[in-house]
Amino acid sequence: MSEEITYASAGVDTAAGDQAVELMKEAVSRTFTPQVVGGIGGFAGMVDASALAGMKKPYLTTSTDGVGTKIAIAQALDIHDTIGQDLVGMVVDDIAVVGARPLLMTDYIACGHVQPQRIADIVRGVAEACAAVDTPLLGGETAEHPGMMGADDYDIAGAATGVVEADQMLGADRVRESDVLVGLAASGLHSNGYSLVRRVLEVSKADLHAQVAQFGRTLGEELLEPTRLYSRLCLQIKDEVGVEGLHALSHVTGGGLAANLARVLPLELGAVVDRGSWKVPAVFDWVRTQGNVSWDDLEMTLNLGIGMVAVCAPDSVDAVRECARQAGCESAILGQVESDPTATGRVISEAKGVKGGKVVLTGSYALA
């Protein structure tokens, strides 16, 4: 008689999955707001949406994303409690771009083998970031995929839902000539371009555990620095100056600053960005020099120190920058919106499938 086959012998450890849930429950429960209905473990998460009934014309907004190959750095260092913030930043900050307040978030982890403490660390990072931006982590799934993924492999994705009044939505239709571009500083590389970064690591044979003087910490610690969370600050700016003062937001993710800024400009307008208007942090120059990467390639791949751009009316610039200062986020005036930019420089337009206005990058980058 052949050996008895069980789910466990096929590679799925349901007991480990249950243990992971127990380890993460406390962190997840701390994200719950008074609107959350029920607790952890249900088939579906629920929120009380009664407040939407008082809105004139609510638009539900949604976004989904992952962390990408930054996970490979976390795996190499065996540090898994920071990438959760990267996930929340990538998802919830996209919702904030249209002026929406997040209502809930869910996550999904696929792995080759459930290691309860590691899964709990990942989810704890997600939960702590959700709590920081007032977003309940309302549900999730951890799926074990033996035979499809290596025992130590995993990937993480998330989705969020938010709401905004139709007449309070931010976007290209609000942008006007002479609007000012205020850049909000990034915390580091954030969560895009890590295929380039990992290739540089491979070519340079750099040691992730080595101390780097420019960073004041190890290379690995610098590369794992979590994505800055902007949603609370962006919504605070909107509350402070209204949609009359804040016209659009651009989340600088894959494709770099110019490509993402072009997505929130109307076709008839353009923007001129002075590359020298902010200081590029040392980590970006490390990627450039260690990998012999051109500035042209860097600026179309990495954020270069600006993680969010606020497109605002000229008379709201001081208030926008003061909100950023109070939130502990540095800011810089990058340039302005023009009807027919004549500046000489690199021109980016129609990025990511959006027929938006063109962005002209002028001048040279300045290093921090």
Side-chain angles (χ1 to χ4, degrees), residues 42-282:
F43 284 94
M46 295 182 289
V47 293
D48 182 348
S50 300
L52 274 62
M55 299 177 69
K56 293 178 293 184
K57 190 176 182 179
Y59 283 175
L60 290 179
T61 66
T62 186
S63 176
T64 187
D65 209 338
V67 176
T69 60
K70 187 173 185 176
I71 287 175
I73 308 296
Q75 290 172 326
L77 294 170
D78 196 24
I79 298 174
H80 309 282
D81 61 350
T82 62
I83 58 168
Q85 179 167 325
D86 293 302
L87 181 67
V88 175
M90 290 297 100
V91 175
V92 176
D93 287 347
D94 275 358
I95 284 178
V97 162
V98 297
R101 296 185 181 277
L103 296 173
L104 60 93
M105 181 166 174
T106 59
D107 64 5
Y108 176 84
I109 302 171
C111 61
H113 174 65
V114 171
Q115 298 179 32
Q117 188 58 60
R118 186 176 69 178
I119 298 299
D121 286 345
I122 296 169
V123 176
R124 176 164 50 84
V126 177
E128 289 175 352
C130 280
V133 294
D134 304 317
T135 306
L137 181 57
L138 206 55
E141 172 72 6
T142 300
E144 203 166 17
H145 293 165
M148 293 185 64
M149 303 177 72
D152 290 327
D153 291 340
Y154 67 86
D155 198 5
I156 182 170
T161 299
V163 65
V164 60
E165 280 278 17
D167 63 2
Q168 295 296 302
M169 189 172 68
L170 304 175
D173 60 316
R174 294 190 181 276
V175 176
R176 300 289 182 265
E177 183 180 1
S178 299
D179 277 357
V180 177
L181 311 173
V182 177
L184 304 178
S187 56
L189 293 167
H190 286 184
S191 302
N192 298 102
Y194 273 79
S195 292
L196 172 64
V197 173
R198 289 170 54 240
R199 178 60 177 157
V200 170
L201 284 171
E202 180 184 352
V203 170
S204 66
K205 302 187 186 311
D207 180 2
L208 289 172
H209 300 281
Q211 289 285 331
V212 180
Q214 305 100 292
F215 307 153
R217 54 182 171 177
T218 69
L219 175 60
E221 289 169 332
E222 181 71 23
L223 297 184
L224 270 191
E225 178 65 33
T227 301
R228 171 166 266 150
L229 302 173
Y230 294 100
S231 62
R232 178 179 279 182
L233 170 57
C234 290
L235 293 172
Q236 180 185 355
I237 291 171
K238 183 185 172 189
D239 288 345
E240 180 73 20
V241 304
V243 293
E244 299 79 15
L246 179 64
H247 295 158
L249 290 164
S250 174
H251 191 194
V252 184
T253 54
L257 189 154
N260 285 287
L261 180 58
R263 298 166 70 185
V264 299
L265 297 177
L267 191 59
E268 69 274 12
L269 295 178
V272 178
V273 174
D274 177 5
R275 293 183 178 108
S277 58
W278 76 95
K279 302 291 186 181
V280 176

